[in-house]
Amino acid sequence: MTEPRPEQLDQLAHAARSGTMEANNALWSAVFQLSRWWCLPDGDPPRPRVGVLDGRPFLLAFTSGERARQQAIAWGLAGPEDSVNVIALTPQGVLSMVDSLRGNGVFGVAFDHGITGFFAPLENLLPIYEHVHGLLPDEQPVGGWYATAQGQEFRVELLGSGETVELPGGEQRPSATLDELYAVNLTATLGTAQCALLATIGDRLRLLCSEPDPTVAAWQPVERGIYEAVLPAADVQVVGLRADLPLTPAGPPLILQKVLTPAQTRACFDGRLRHIAGYVTRLDDVLHLRTPNEVIQQLVLRYPGSPFAADAESIAVLRFPLRDGTWRLANTDPAPIPQYFIGPAHVMPMPVGAELQILGRDGNQQVAMRYAGLGTGWRQAT
């Protein structure tokens, strides 16, 4: 991931003065994304310089070597044309020094003193790092957490930092042994892109975004202007809950149906269909439509360029669960059969438990494929 530039850090530091959690998270996430923190040397042998600010000693760190050099010149430690030696420390290296610094009376770390001037007490440094680089956010997602393992889905509770989950019945399992761990109403940032965080896969995060950051090469086009990325968790800043979703508690899933085009049906059989977008209906509203002709006629699927033939021998439909608090349906056609549209700002990840059913001209219905999660994918029904 591209390191934040000094001017970006200045903007984040200014925004953090608002005191909001989101602004502070963004600032400290960027600070810990830096590969080096730069300090001015002091003493012999040289050690990172400590200065007294507001009566307390602080380790003086800078977000670039040039900023450290300019501050040395401003303090009269070097002339305008002089070269200045600086000490480069990794953020993890500073974290390992916390006990030693505290033992020497240092109170905290001050960044870019004389420029933006933000700081953190030493005792807060490790908790800040763990918070902004944690795999999962602190807040409880609406609808809770779900996991899949060996093609089955579970409601789970996260224990501790999320490295362990508790399944119904009290069984505890390392998160790394799961195929997926997800709450689809979470948000994240990757570079400048605002994303929907869909699932955690080991030490990676799966994201969807409508406006990807062009500097991040991992984006793959999905459909309807939506892009997907699967990135190491350390590269992603988890923000929190999606603001565009209703804050409703988890309830029994609503079963929806989507008619698939022949191309989408082939993608399902090939294991490539992993998202849902476009028109859907409530299953209860269309259960009486049992043949291809009934589906095509009642849902008005004959239009110029339509891929659906009135005399089709069969038609494929996708039936899938929609849980409260995980997606928002936009009603587009209230009669005679209400239809809803998923997208285009977000497409929906394929839910575990989705089924591909084939409706025959004779009214026979057959389950052909079932979706068991990102780790397992589509499986033929037995």
Side-chain angles (χ1 to χ4, degrees), residues 102-131:
R102 188 185 293 118
N104 288 323
V106 177
F107 174 75
V109 181
F111 291 86
D112 289 345
H113 178 66
I115 305 170
T116 50
F118 56 95
F119 71 92
L122 287 178
E123 63 184 17
N124 292 351
L125 206 59
L126 182 58
I128 290 173
Y129 174 78
E130 291 176 341
H131 175 70

Side-chain angles (χ1 to χ4, degrees), residues 6 76 186 266:
L186 293 176
R266 288 193 297 271

Side-chain angles (χ1 to χ4, degrees), residues 302-354:
R302 291 295 297 158
Y303 48 84
S306 169
F308 302 103
D311 59 349
E313 290 291 332
S314 64
I315 195 167
V317 297
L318 184 71
R319 293 178 176 174
F320 59 95
L322 179 76
R323 293 178 179 81
D324 291 345
T326 60
W327 218 259
R328 184 189 294 278
L329 290 179
N331 191 305
T332 62
D333 188 1
I337 297 178
Q339 296 192 51
Y340 306 87
F341 192 82
I342 294 177
H346 297 284
V347 299
M348 184 177 177
M350 188 64 64
V352 174

Side-chain angles (χ1 to χ4, degrees), residues 16-364:
R17 294 186 184 126
S18 66
T20 66
M21 181 63 72
E22 182 177 357
N24 276 284
N25 285 346
L27 171 62
W28 287 105
S29 177
V31 170
F32 277 103
Q33 285 170 14
L34 295 170
S35 59
R36 297 288 187 273
W37 295 348
W38 305 88
C39 299
L40 293 170
D42 186 31
D44 187 18
R47 58 187 181 276
R49 179 174 291 271
V50 172
V52 178
L53 307 175
D54 294 329
R56 289 175 169 173
F58 283 83
L59 176 69
L60 302 176
F62 297 86
T63 56
S64 74
E66 179 58 25
R67 287 196 161 184
R69 176 180 178 276
Q70 291 297 330
Q71 197 59 40
I73 294 171
W75 286 337
L77 302 176
E81 305 302 323
D82 294 342
S83 62
V84 176
N85 293 326
V86 294
I87 299 174
L89 300 172
T90 66
Q92 291 74 19
V94 175
L95 289 174
S96 69
M97 296 166 53
V98 164
D99 289 340
S100 174
L101 290 168
R102 188 185 293 118
N104 288 323
V106 177
F107 174 75
V109 181
F111 291 86
D112 289 345
H113 178 66
I115 305 170
T116 50
F118 56 95
F119 71 92
L122 287 178
E123 63 184 17
N124 292 351
L125 206 59
L126 182 58
I128 290 173
Y129 174 78
E130 291 176 341
H131 175 70
V132 299
H133 271 256
L135 184 63
L136 302 169
D138 290 337
E139 59 258 69
Q140 180 70 5
V142 177
W145 293 97
Y146 295 87
T148 60
Q150 298 179 333
Q152 295 190 27
E153 183 184 60
F154 308 90
R155 280 292 305 275
V156 297
E157 297 293 334
L158 269 59
L159 304 179
S161 63
E163 295 179 357
T164 304
V165 299
E166 183 176 299
L167 278 61
E171 178 189 353
Q172 295 185 8
R173 180 180 298 185
S175 300
T177 66
L178 302 170
D179 293 333
E180 291 177 287
L181 178 63
Y182 58 92
V184 298
N185 61 330
L186 293 176
T187 60
T189 59
L190 179 63
T192 61
Q194 302 296 311
C195 317
L197 192 160
L198 303 185
T200 70
I201 314 156
D203 63 348
R204 297 175 296 154
L205 297 179
R206 180 178 173 222
L207 309 171
L208 281 185
C209 182
S210 57
E211 296 182 2
D213 185 334
T215 66
V216 179
W219 295 109
Q220 299 295 326
V222 179
E223 58 180 313
R224 296 180 180 271
I226 304 297
Y227 297 81
E228 179 183 25
V230 179
L231 280 300
D235 291 348
V236 179
Q237 169 60 38
V238 178
V239 176
L241 301 178
R242 280 177 53 184
D244 63 321
L245 293 173
L247 296 179
T248 55
L254 172 68
I255 305 301
L256 300 178
Q257 176 173 295
K258 174 176 174 58
V259 181
L260 297 183
T261 66
Q264 291 170 327
T265 305
R266 288 193 297 271
C268 183
F269 279 107
D270 292 343
R272 295 181 288 109
L273 190 66
R274 297 187 298 165
H275 306 88
I276 300 172
Y279 290 98
V280 299
T281 56
R282 296 174 185 264
L283 180 59
D284 288 345
D285 293 338
V286 293
L287 268 176
H288 64 287
L289 307 178
R290 302 187 59 84
T291 68
N293 185 61
E294 289 173 348
V295 171
I296 292 169
Q297 294 298 324
Q298 293 297 313
L299 297 180
V300 196
L301 297 179
R302 291 295 297 158
Y303 48 84
S306 169
F308 302 103
D311 59 349
E313 290 291 332
S314 64
I315 195 167
V317 297
L318 184 71
R319 293 178 176 174
F320 59 95
L322 179 76
R323 293 178 179 81
D324 291 345
T326 60
W327 218 259
R328 184 189 294 278
L329 290 179
N331 191 305
T332 62
D333 188 1
I337 297 178
Q339 296 192 51
Y340 306 87
F341 192 82
I342 294 177
H346 297 284
V347 299
M348 184 177 177
M350 188 64 64
V352 174
E355 293 183 346
L356 174 69
Q357 295 204 10
I358 307 298
L359 311 185
R361 179 184 279 184
D362 59 0
N364 182 51

